[in-house]
Amino acid sequence: MEQSIPDLIYVQNSEGRPLMPTRRHNKVWYWLRTGRAHLVRRQPFTIQLHFATTNYTQKAVVGVDTGSQTVGIAAITNGEVICQAEVHLRTDIKEKLDRRRQYRQNRRSGKTRYRPARFANRRRKAGWLSPSLRSKAQATIKAVRWITSLLPVHQVNVEVGSFDTQKMHQPEISGREYQQGQLEGYLLREYLLTKWKRQCSYCGARDVPLQIEHLTPKSRGGTDRASNLTISCAPCNLKKGKQTAEEFGFPQVQAQAKMPLKDAAHVSSMKTAVVTGLQEQFGYDQVSIMFGYETKYKRIQVLSLPKSHTNDAVAIACVIGAVVKPLAVVHQCHCIPRGNYQVYNGKHSEHKVWAPRKVKGWKLYEIVEAKGQIGYIGGRRVKGSFVLKDLLTEKPILEVTPGKLRRLARPVRGWIIHREEARASSPD
Ligand SMILES: [Zn+2]
């Protein structure tokens, strides 16, 4: 394992405002030892200075790759990545609310006093999000707030859609010759993927590598305009060969290609909530909107990075053409419930929930190591053993006595953070 570059230490001034991070570990240990600074948090390692310093900072740009399960976030100053994190959002909210609704329905039908049904007498405000989506949007905003507590941030870039509709206003008649590997090529590809619903327009195959296909082949005078292009899987493309789509038996595809894509500006309600929330907190000028085709172009063509949430976030944060190197360390932030609000359990709700917040000094969701394996505390049994669960799959991996545990991270304000070596999520 190479450990040539030391990890960054985040620094706050005496008023708690973030300064530039440092790699000078010796200096930091000296300050801590002599009482010139104190430790704010261990993950990520942050100190606060007790003496006045020049408040000289270089402004950082934050990139946010929103997602439905994992949010990638990265900060860049002066062509250097200074923070990378993945936020794992909660996915248990819908299930928990469904269960609560079930309990309430049972109570209504049971032998109890009359309880009127109250499901249809409430109005939803404009911009209402379902609880699961609201939790995800709020966690994304919280992640940006977290990074602004570590670094002097002056701009936040958020990716909202795969391509810019205004740039593709009249793509069918613009007659631009798009080249593969160019930024416009990525724009065209995302446009076509959306127009053809990300599936092969001949056989309907999904989740396979898709190619841009010329309806009238180039060898027979077909152009590179969007009105002559469609999306196809490799076998269909090969089978079609030098035929036109009509000769291949798909005149309707040829007709559909002539029609430009309407109302493509569909941005999910969660992303809208994230952007408006960020604008409210950081100001309208500080939040910029980015598009997926730019991210993809920057990540593949300029930075040549594999696909991962943090690498996407790095690409979102940097300007087109700039080359930056990602950090070796990614902070993994897991969103967790802040407490257990269940009062009764058992088949007929006959047991009062007894477990205190701490059992033998251990809380739920603490990240621990035991018998060489790393997981979080997912359960504490009455008979005395603790259940260790895997951080990503949430499956039980081990049952041990609390004496065998070694603490790695504690839950703080609804999050547990631990650091990990960077890795690619999936091949692109
Ligand atoms: Zn096909």
Side-chain angles (χ1 to χ4, degrees):
M1 218 160 70
E2 66 174 312
Q3 268 292 338
S4 52
I5 310 168
D7 278 356
L8 285 162
I9 292 175
Y10 298 94
V11 185
Q12 296 176 348
N13 71 6
S14 51
E15 287 156 11
R17 286 189 211 292
L19 301 170
M20 294 308 289
T22 179
R23 291 187 198 278
R24 291 154 75 199
H25 285 223
N26 289 345
K27 192 109 198 170
V28 168
W29 295 132
Y30 171 70
W31 285 337
L32 287 172
R33 224 173 34 237
T34 52
R36 278 161 221 217
H38 74 269
L39 184 66
V40 178
R41 46 176 111 80
R42 269 172 212 279
Q43 259 340 320
F45 204 89
T46 311
I47 60 161
Q48 184 173 5
L49 305 178
H50 291 174
F51 52 93
T53 47
T54 55
N55 286 331
Y56 171 73
T57 53
Q58 288 155 325
K59 296 296 179 186
V61 181
V62 169
V64 186
D65 175 36
T66 54
S68 63
Q69 293 194 359
T70 311
V71 175
I73 189 158
I76 292 182
T77 348
N78 266 356
E80 199 194 343
V81 181
I82 47 176
C83 187
Q84 281 178 177
E86 273 180 13
V87 182
H88 302 274
L89 305 172
R90 285 184 66 178
T91 49
D92 56 345
I93 297 211
K94 183 183 178 336
E95 177 202 325
K96 283 188 164 176
L97 291 184
D98 283 348
R99 203 182 311 146
R100 185 181 71 180
R101 189 185 305 119
Q102 193 62 48
Y103 288 146
R104 288 184 172 167
Q105 270 164 7
N106 291 346
R107 283 208 293 273
R108 242 176 245 123
S109 63
K111 202 177 173 193
T112 53
R113 67 175 171 82
Y114 175 67
R115 288 164 192 267
R118 295 187 206 273
F119 60 87
N121 62 351
R122 279 143 176 86
R123 177 173 291 163
R124 284 172 182 172
K125 285 185 186 152
W128 178 88
L129 285 179
S130 66
S132 56
L133 285 183
R134 193 176 56 205
S135 120
K136 287 171 183 181
Q138 285 175 345
T140 310
I141 296 167
K142 179 181 170 181
V144 178
R145 226 171 33 230
W146 171 75
I147 214 163
T148 56
S149 76
L150 300 174
L151 298 165
V153 173
H154 84 129
Q155 199 195 323
V156 183
N157 294 347
V158 196
E159 185 188 298
V160 290
S162 59
F163 64 91
D164 191 346
T165 24
Q166 266 147 27
K167 279 206 180 130
M168 290 304 280
H169 191 51
Q170 287 179 313
E172 320 289 344
I173 54 166
S174 68
R176 289 266 282 284
E177 306 280 310
Y178 289 108
Q179 279 182 356
Q180 285 247 286
Q182 298 286 310
L183 183 59
E184 274 80 27
Y186 279 82
L187 175 62
L188 179 70
R189 190 180 150 82
E190 284 305 319
Y191 172 82
L192 289 170
L193 282 170
T194 311
K195 181 172 167 181
W196 298 97
K197 300 189 174 68
R198 293 184 183 269
Q199 60 184 23
C200 172
S201 45
Y202 301 119
C203 71
R206 289 174 169 280
D207 301 319
V208 292
L210 294 169
Q211 302 172 342
I212 293 179
E213 209 269 324
H214 291 76
L215 294 166
T216 304
K218 282 187 95 168
S219 61
R220 291 170 62 180
T223 64
D224 279 338
R225 289 182 195 181
S227 56
N228 188 42
L229 296 173
T230 185
I231 291 293
S232 132
C233 66
C236 286
N237 201 349
L238 206 67
K239 217 189 316 170
K240 180 168 168 287
K242 289 193 171 171
Q243 304 171 77
T244 63
E246 205 161 351
E247 290 163 1
F248 191 45
F250 291 88
Q252 76 280 10
V253 171
Q254 200 118 33
Q256 201 190 330
K258 294 237 158 48
M259 293 194 292
L261 176 64
K262 289 197 191 83
D263 68 338
H266 176 73
V267 174
S268 77
S269 50
M270 189 188 87
K271 289 188 180 180
T272 318
V274 168
V275 172
T276 48
L278 288 173
Q279 283 171 339
E280 278 167 17
Q281 293 193 16
F282 301 102
Y284 283 81
D285 305 335
Q286 265 69 52
V287 181
S288 312
I289 286 165
M290 298 280 159
F291 295 94
Y293 79 96
E294 296 170 325
T295 311
K296 216 167 169 182
Y297 167 76
K298 284 189 273 189
R299 180 172 58 75
I300 297 172
Q301 298 291 326
V302 184
L303 306 171
S304 29
L305 295 174
K307 185 171 174 57
S308 80
H309 295 287
T310 42
N311 286 348
D312 269 342
V314 168
I316 292 168
C318 68
V319 288
I320 289 178
V323 180
V324 292
K325 210 171 153 279
L327 294 171
V329 169
V330 175
H331 288 102
Q332 302 287 337
C333 312
H334 296 263
C335 299
I336 52 163
R338 292 200 183 201
N340 185 10
Y341 298 96
Q342 193 175 9
V343 184
Y344 293 98
N345 60 20
K347 203 174 170 194
H348 305 286
S349 302
E350 71 275 25
H351 300 303
K352 194 147 173 86
V353 172
W354 61 274
R357 275 178 81 78
K358 282 184 181 175
V359 176
K360 296 207 192 294
W362 297 91
K363 275 189 199 172
L364 282 176
Y365 296 106
E366 286 190 87
I367 297 185
V368 289
E369 195 219 295
K371 295 182 179 172
Q373 284 179 296
I374 292 173
Y376 71 90
I377 300 177
R380 300 164 299 182
R381 299 267 155 86
V382 178
K383 63 182 189 225
S385 63
F386 280 30
V387 184
L388 233 65
K389 290 185 178 173
D390 188 74
L391 281 163
L392 287 176
T393 59
E394 300 183 5
K395 296 255 160 42
I397 45 174
L398 201 61
E399 226 173 280
V400 284
T401 53
K404 293 269 196 309
L405 300 175
R406 192 169 70 85
R407 181 178 281 121
L408 298 176
R410 293 169 189 268
V412 178
R413 286 183 225 105
W415 271 15
I416 18 175
I417 307 174
H418 70 119
R419 58 181 288 271
E420 232 173 53
E421 308 296 315
R423 56 185 150 69
S425 61
S426 59
D428 187 35

